[in-house]
């Protein structure tokens, strides 16, 4: 008969293999932040600049499938659950070209500052295929 520790280890391994364990941990962290968030103190108002920056971070996290981190970001910052603006609005606001396809705006900013990184990124993307 399997011991309790054996059952715990098998359960943990199974949840890790299914990719569920990270989601559960992130959800617990999110719920803890929400429970500990004292509304009487209040968070500072989310400035327009922080809202824009957080939207760029959200897009980056979604692109890279960092959904657990994203759930913590929205909970902790008070960022709206739905994106505050669409991608085209940000492109126009910052006069950015949209020739990078579906890459997050943070990538475009980095590639704009260091164009040589774009070619390295593209080469790495093709090597992975």
């Amino acid at each position: 008969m399997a011991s309790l520790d054996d059952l715990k280890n098998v359960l943990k391994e199974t949840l890790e293999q299914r990719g569920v364990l990270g989601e559960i941990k992130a959800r617990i962290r999110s719920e803890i932040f929400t429970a500990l968030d004292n509304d009487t103190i209040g968070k500072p108002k989310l400035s327009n600049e922080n809202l824009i920056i957080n939207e760029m971070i959200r897009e980056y996290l979604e692109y890279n499938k960092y959904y657990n981190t994203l759930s913590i970001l929205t909970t902790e910052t008070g960022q709206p659950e739905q994106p505050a603006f669409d991608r085209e609005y940000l492109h126009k606001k910052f006069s950015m070209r949209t020739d990078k396809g579906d890459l997050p705006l943070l990538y475009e900013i980095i590639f704009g500052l260091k164009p040589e990184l774009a070619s390295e990124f593209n080469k790495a993307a093709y090597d992975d295929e």
Side-chain angles (χ1 to χ4, degrees), residues 72-88:
I72 300 297
L73 173 77
T74 54
T75 301
E76 193 169 14
T77 62
Q79 190 80 2
E81 288 295 322
Q82 296 300 314
F85 345 88
D86 63 10
R87 188 177 164 80
E88 288 73 31

Side-chain angles (χ1 to χ4, degrees), residues 1-104:
M1 183 165 182
S3 71
L4 183 57
D5 286 337
D6 292 338
L7 291 173
K8 285 180 185 178
N9 289 334
V10 168
L11 180 59
K12 182 180 176 185
E13 288 175 16
T14 302
L15 292 174
E16 284 176 345
Q17 288 173 352
R18 292 178 52 205
V20 177
L21 189 59
E23 293 174 21
I24 292 170
K25 287 180 179 180
R27 180 69 182 178
I28 290 170
R29 284 187 208 108
S30 176
E31 291 298 328
I32 290 171
F33 282 132
T34 302
L36 295 177
D37 190 17
N38 188 346
D39 288 335
T40 59
I41 296 173
K43 292 181 184 175
K45 185 176 184 277
L46 196 58
S47 70
N48 289 338
E49 293 81 11
N50 283 350
L51 187 65
I52 291 169
I53 291 167
N54 289 349
E55 284 302 320
M56 288 183 180
I57 294 169
R58 177 199 310 256
E59 183 185 36
Y60 165 82
L61 293 173
E62 287 176 344
Y63 178 82
N64 287 291
K65 297 181 175 68
Y66 297 150
Y67 302 120
N68 301 328
T69 305
L70 178 59
S71 71
I72 300 297
L73 173 77
T74 54
T75 301
E76 193 169 14
T77 62
Q79 190 80 2
E81 288 295 322
Q82 296 300 314
F85 345 88
D86 63 10
R87 188 177 164 80
E88 288 73 31
Y89 169 80
L90 292 174
H91 271 105
K92 289 176 187 171
K93 176 125 178 104
F94 296 105
S95 303
M96 298 176 78
R97 293 185 322 216
T98 59
D99 60 350
K100 301 287 188 254
D102 292 334
L103 282 179

